[in-house]
Amino acid sequence: MYYEHYSRGGIGMNSERMIRRFKKVSKLQVFWPLVVLLLVLLSNVFSDPGFFRIQIRDGHLFGSIIDILKNGSPLMIISIGMTLVIATGGIDISVGSTVAIAGAVAASLINGNMAFGIVILIAIAVSMGLGVWNGLLVSKIGIQPVVATLILMVAGRGIAQLITNGQIITVYYDPFFFLGSGYFLGLPFAIFLVLLVLVIALFLVKKTAFGLFLQSTGVNSSSSRLSGVNVKGVIFFVYVFCAVCAGIAGLIISSNVKCADSNNAGLFIELDAILSVALGGNSLQGGKFNISGSLIGALIIQSLTTTIYSMGVSPNITFVVKSIVVVIICMVQSDALRSSIKGAISKRREREVS
Amino acid sequence: MKKYSTVIITLVLFLILYAAGGMMFSGFFAPQVFLNLLIDNSFLIVTAVGMTFVLIIGGIDLSVGAVIAFSCMLLSYLVENMHMNWVLAVAVVLLSGCLFGFGMGCMIHYLKVEPFIATLGGMYLARGLCSVISEESISITNKALTDISQYQIKLPGSNYINVNVVIAMVVFAIAIFIAHYTRFGRSAYAIGGSETSAKLMGINVGKVKILIYTMNGLCSAIAGIIFTLYTLSGFPLRAIGFEMDAIASAVIGGTLITGGVGLVAGTLIGVSIYGVIQTIITFQGTLNSWWTRIAIAFLLCVFIVLQRVLVIRREKTKSSSKFLGNIVRRTSA
């Protein structure tokens, strides 16, 4: 074993150790998403050389990277919730409607002389209620997640319109804007909300048995049930958690636009969230999951949007770029493609040797 | 009879809704009201029929709304800005729909991408390409198309339908033929029931799957053409959320999202229910249009819970009869 290094010749021991370490790191689930994120961020340098510059202005950090973090906060929070739902093998396409409803509830109550904290709590409680609805449909009655959340998705914006009486309610309450646009300790406050949700999620998943139960449910729910895992409870909880995440994101979004727009708030955000989870290397079938991967996926999507804006291209091109990204990611993640490429390479090696 | 049980429930529901509308508003029972239902929802019929096939093989297609908007846009652009002959433009649009479907089908089968993600990508692509063609709406002034869109086919009793309804009915008839009278249709049901069993039976799963997604793309393109005739313009933000209406109609019509079960006729009734609810709300006059969505969501909920309860009951009786059967066999042996 020790002599192999000498007989191979040419490759020194140090570079071999580096190659081995690289292979180990590249097997981490977050590796490829990080690489993609870096590529997207670096591509910005061509159009904007000062992209990575961070200055201090108005008493807080200022720069394109800070903007990406701030604007991507709602998507990051929803992606955390969505990761847990997808880990059970389910899906939640109603988060966009929950965003709209949470914003509508907050906006209509704030103008009504209620304490600010109470309004936030009520908005979160309403989102939790929507999560309970989804959770009951999927876990108790056993309806397929796509269809169960489809119901809320279809009805949700109508309900939001009901709450706002069909109007776009503008908010005139300054402390509300702090959620989305305020700065705390130099960083955007929204990032702290992301960190809060992330810490809670990581604690649940890594420091309690819940993470294990979740992964087990996703891999095989029947054997989990037979092993004594409370599968229905796990599934119920993740839908409630996801809806609460969507509620928080809805508050941030309506704080950013300073109004509650039931038609456009969170439009297509469910698709972006699912894309973030997939970009993070998580399988949509459920099972093993990685929350950090989804966060990086959300950052990739936000960076893509920012890159496209800064290049001066029409924002609708975002859609085309997103679809190309989807195709590339799926091709890279697709085992079928990878094995056929490996097969082609090994066949060529055989031909070269013989 | 059991096969048709959900469809019969759907039909009964439609009749109840129709009767309720007739009791609430005078003039509701006029035949033209029912024909208007078909005229206004002809594109949804075509879309939902295509979606039924996709649901039967156990897949899903989120791109139909975007492909409809794209076909609309492309047709308007080709006819208005490039002054192409409208027949040729229609052919190009149909081909583009097929290409979308074919691309997504290949991604789903060969790259083993989840249908949700693949059709999501297709949706993004179609929406984006729509805006690439034009950011603002393009109105159609081409004489041939405006004539076709306003042409009324007279029916007895001073009622009329238009070309869109004829197209929708033809598509519907072809769909029923494919689903129940061809081997292709039966293969689709088999794949939906269990893909592995279908493969072992010797069915060329890949060919059927890709063909079905291509067919769905074609249906979306046809729906887009119908929609263009209906609105005489192309607009990039059109048809958002259509895929959900199509899925809702199919599910209300008795198609299971899990696949393997579904009748095209049921989907037609599902679309009719959607239309009746819309008509009732229009007749009401005071309620806003988003009540339609809430009503559809409520119905969807009821139907899905009903389907689920029936399935649970069927499974319970199956397992209990198996249990009894085993007892009988053991005591008699």
Side-chain angles (χ1 to χ4, degrees), chain A residues 90-107:
Chain A
I91 213 161
D92 188 349
I93 52 177
S94 66
V95 284
S97 301
T98 313
V99 161
I101 293 179
V105 166

Side-chain angles (χ1 to χ4, degrees), chain A residues 91 93 133 137 140-144 146-148 150-155 157-159 161-162 165-166 267-268 271-272 274-275 278 283-285 314-317 319-320 322-324 326-327 330-331 334-337, chain B residues 60 62 107 110-114 116-118 120-129 131-132 135 237 240-241 243-245 247-248 251 257-258 288 290-294 296-298 300-302 304-305 308-309 312:
Chain A
I91 213 161
I93 52 177
W133 165 262
L137 283 181
K140 200 85 206 299
I141 305 188
I143 299 177
Q144 273 223 312
V146 167
V147 183
L150 175 67
I151 297 173
L152 184 56
M153 182 192 179
V154 170
R157 290 194 188 271
I159 298 177
Q161 296 271 31
L162 259 177
N165 262 327
L267 197 60
F268 293 133
L271 308 175
D272 279 345
I274 295 171
L275 195 57
S283 163
L284 287 178
Q285 312 273 41
S314 159
N316 291 313
I317 306 292
F319 276 137
V320 182
K322 270 189 199 166
S323 71
I324 298 179
V326 168
V327 174
C330 291
M331 290 195 352
S334 154
D335 292 326
L337 191 65
Chain B
I60 199 168
L62 298 175
M107 258 185 81
Y110 289 120
L111 294 182
K112 303 241 187 309
V113 178
E114 295 255 342
F116 196 92
I117 294 284
L120 186 64
M123 182 192 103
Y124 278 146
L125 184 67
R127 272 291 157 200
L129 287 177
S131 307
V132 166
E135 302 264 339
L237 289 181
I240 294 183
E243 47 275 344
M244 295 311 165
D245 290 338
I247 295 177
V251 169
I257 291 253
T258 36
N288 262 314
W290 29 264
W291 273 104
T292 325
R293 308 228 103 204
I294 298 183
I296 288 286
F298 173 70
L300 191 63
C301 185
V302 166
I304 290 168
V305 173
R308 183 69 199 148
V309 165
I312 292 178

Side-chain angles (χ1 to χ4, degrees), chain B residues 115-152:
Chain B
F116 196 92
I117 294 284
T119 55
L120 186 64
M123 182 192 103
Y124 278 146
L125 184 67
R127 272 291 157 200
L129 287 177
C130 215
S131 307
V132 166
I133 296 181
S134 160
E135 302 264 339
E136 298 132 15
S137 78
I138 303 178
S139 313
I140 293 191
T141 49
N142 180 308
K143 182 135 195 333
L145 286 180
T146 43
D147 279 348
I148 293 178
S149 108
Q150 285 157 1
Y151 182 68
Q152 294 182 351

